[in-house]
Amino acid sequence: MPAGEELARRLAAEVPDPELPFLTLGDLGILRRVEVNLEGAVRVVLTPTYSGCPAVHHMADEVRRTLMAAGFPAVQVDTELSPAWSTDRLGPHAREKLEAMGIAPPPPMGKAPVALTLKCPHCGSLRTGELSHFGATACKSLWRCQECGEPFEHFKALR
Amino acid sequence: MTAGVAGLSVVDLREVALGFGDDCLVLSHRLAEWTTHAPELEEEMALANLALDLLGQARSLLTLAGEADGRDEDQLAYWRDDRDFRNLLLVEQPNGDFAVTMTRQLLFSTFQELLYRWMVTGTEPRLAAIAAKGVMEARYHVEHARLWVQRLGGGTEESHRRMCRALDLLWPYTEELFEPTESWSRAADQGAVPPLSSIEEPWRHSIESLLVDSGLEIPGFPAWQSGGRLGRHSEHLGHLLAEMQHLHRSHPNASW
């Protein structure tokens, strides 16, 4: 492995998501590969969560900026569709982080793709209902808790 | 003629990707026209989300279509006139009222989900990759449209009347969904896309069972409109393109 590849991978994985800044590209499973050639040039491959995710360009810019600032002479960021991203690619801590931020995480792998009921991330009640399939970003839907009355977002299962 | 992957010629791949990419682009633009006009805030976000998904799919498909002759997605989206667009007539039909918009979405998204689902295991790897991503999104679009059709069909007398009207208005355009172009037929022979006849029955079944559940029915007259895939469009497309392309043509290569 060329020198710096481990560093480049770690730095790229730590870049925050612009829409969910408490999650990193590593947490989200958006970072697919990091390669460093003998001249030290880096190639990073990202995969979009949704076909039209407008944050991908911002992420690519951030990865480029971060790696250049760390001294890598050249950084190329490509996106790759296949294999398609799904919420099963979320890292081990992503679900906990989402919940801590008041966003109900998608059900774990193997469970029904669309949750029938969700636990309210504010009060823990299961008396919740979906207001809209589509939320403020492509990856979220909008819910409300009938117990505490608070609305909350749900990171939709995609698979 | 150069043979592409899986024996599919580059010309046929371009035609298939262009037709399907134009469907996504044109419908995305139609949905975006609802922005700030939707009946409620949640629907405002939903329609914009649908538009965004379709725009993303359009970008991938048009990028693939443009590879054959070195044109990028922007050149294809902004520098072709209506005769060179290959989208279905269905998707260029005006938004009308909310019942028309949701009926159009149901008819198209059901078709699109079936196509994508098939193409995921097709022989053209780039189409399969776009389909694998798109099918997850189309599933949500279908579900959304079905919920609305059910609510409107079984809602008030007025919403029911409007749903019947929307179906009468759009049904004639459904014939074209299952009419393969020559390129499509050759691509289907190569296993890259499904024979359209194979998805017609599941499409019809899915639509019909929903309509019955919603107190509605498939119109009793045959569908007969077609020509979009060959570049023969209704006059609506020209107006849509004028708006969509105006900024880019006034300021070529502008970026922000």
Side-chain angles (χ1 to χ4, degrees):
Chain A
M1 187 194 301
E5 195 160 285
E6 196 45 53
L7 174 67
R9 182 174 299 121
R10 187 166 55 76
L11 290 173
E14 281 169 4
V15 169
D17 177 273
E19 284 168 345
L20 304 163
F22 52 90
L23 291 180
T24 64
L25 302 192
D27 288 334
L28 282 162
I30 288 172
L31 181 68
R32 195 151 271 179
R33 279 196 308 284
V34 177
E35 295 150 6
V36 179
N37 72 12
L38 293 173
E39 281 81 48
V42 192
R43 177 170 179 261
V44 177
V45 179
L46 304 178
T47 189
T49 53
Y50 283 75
S51 303
C53 180
V56 174
H57 295 283
H58 184 90
M59 292 173 192
D61 285 348
E62 272 305 295
V63 167
R64 212 172 288 120
R65 199 188 55 76
T66 304
L67 292 175
M68 299 289 274
F72 289 95
V75 182
Q76 182 190 337
V77 184
D78 295 327
T79 54
E80 216 172 69
L81 279 182
S82 181
W85 182 89
S86 80
T87 34
D88 294 338
R89 290 180 188 269
L90 291 176
H93 303 300
R95 284 188 170 76
E96 293 157 33
K97 288 189 189 175
L98 280 165
E99 200 150 24
M101 292 304 288
I103 299 173
M109 213 186 301
K111 292 280 172 60
V114 177
L116 297 177
T117 184
L118 288 175
K119 194 170 71 165
C120 169
H122 304 299
C123 75
S125 168
L126 286 171
R127 283 184 55 225
T128 59
E130 189 183 57
L131 293 178
S132 170
H133 260 359
F134 300 91
T137 64
C139 54
K140 288 178 288 182
S141 60
L142 194 61
W143 287 62
R144 184 167 55 208
C145 175
Q146 283 138 29
E147 197 75 41
C148 70
E150 289 291 326
F152 65 91
E153 290 186 304
H154 167 48
F155 196 99
K156 288 191 284 204
L158 195 72
R159 57 172 74 113
Chain B
M1 198 177 290
T2 331
V5 187
L8 181 61
S9 82
V10 287
V11 173
D12 289 339
L13 175 61
R14 181 187 67 197
E15 283 302 306
V16 164
L18 199 58
F20 206 27
D22 283 346
D23 289 344
C24 296
L25 178 64
V26 169
L27 187 54
S28 169
H29 190 84
R30 277 288 182 233
L31 289 168
E33 290 172 356
W34 272 103
T35 308
T36 73
H37 298 287
E40 57 185 34
L41 192 58
E42 288 79 9
E43 203 47 39
E44 183 80 26
M45 292 200 292
L47 292 168
N49 266 289
L50 263 60
L52 192 60
D53 286 344
L54 288 167
L55 187 62
Q57 296 164 23
R59 294 185 60 183
S60 298
L61 287 161
L62 292 184
T63 299
L64 180 56
E67 273 176 17
D69 50 9
R71 287 186 287 178
D72 69 11
E73 47 176 323
D74 282 354
Q75 281 168 304
L76 286 172
Y78 296 126
W79 294 98
R80 280 180 301 152
D81 291 331
D82 57 348
R83 289 242 158 198
D84 295 323
F85 271 74
R86 292 288 178 265
N87 59 280
L88 297 164
L89 297 173
L90 174 68
V91 297
E92 72 197 37
Q93 296 310 304
N95 287 335
D97 60 16
F98 194 64
V100 171
T101 290
M102 279 303 137
T103 303
R104 186 185 60 199
Q105 202 65 42
L106 174 77
L107 299 174
F108 178 74
S109 293
T110 305
F111 170 74
Q112 192 192 35
E113 190 194 0
L114 288 164
L115 277 190
Y116 276 150
R117 200 168 289 292
W118 195 100
M119 280 156 59
V120 168
T121 53
T123 51
E124 212 303 314
R126 286 167 302 175
L127 280 178
I130 294 168
K133 183 83 274 187
V135 72
M136 299 182 191
E137 295 159 0
R139 186 169 61 79
Y140 274 104
H141 301 184
V142 170
E143 224 170 90
H144 189 68
R146 289 180 77 90
L147 282 173
W148 271 111
V149 166
Q150 214 158 18
R151 276 171 78 178
L152 296 173
T156 64
E157 205 175 300
E158 176 66 3
S159 72
H160 181 85
R161 186 186 67 79
R162 287 185 181 229
M163 271 308 302
C164 294
R165 193 182 143 268
L167 279 164
D168 285 351
L169 200 67
L170 294 175
W171 192 255
Y173 300 100
T174 56
E175 168 83 359
E176 192 185 11
L177 272 57
F178 306 104
E179 274 178 359
T181 58
E182 286 175 18
S183 285
W184 188 282
S185 297
R186 283 192 294 266
D189 288 344
Q190 298 294 334
V193 295
L196 291 174
S197 56
S198 75
I199 61 166
E200 182 166 5
E201 192 42 46
W203 177 87
R204 203 182 162 91
H205 178 75
S206 168
I207 304 285
E208 197 156 27
S209 60
L210 173 71
L211 294 184
V212 169
D213 280 352
S214 316
L216 299 160
E217 56 188 24
I218 287 184
F221 52 83
W224 51 276
Q225 290 275 13
S226 101
R229 289 275 190 252
L230 303 171
R232 293 196 303 269
H233 293 279
S234 60
E235 68 170 299
H236 304 300
L237 183 65
H239 295 280
L240 181 150
L241 293 181
E243 186 177 277
M244 190 181 85
Q245 297 175 332
H246 172 262
L247 187 69
H248 195 90
R249 290 194 182 198
S250 305
H251 305 277
N253 304 318
S255 66
W256 58 84

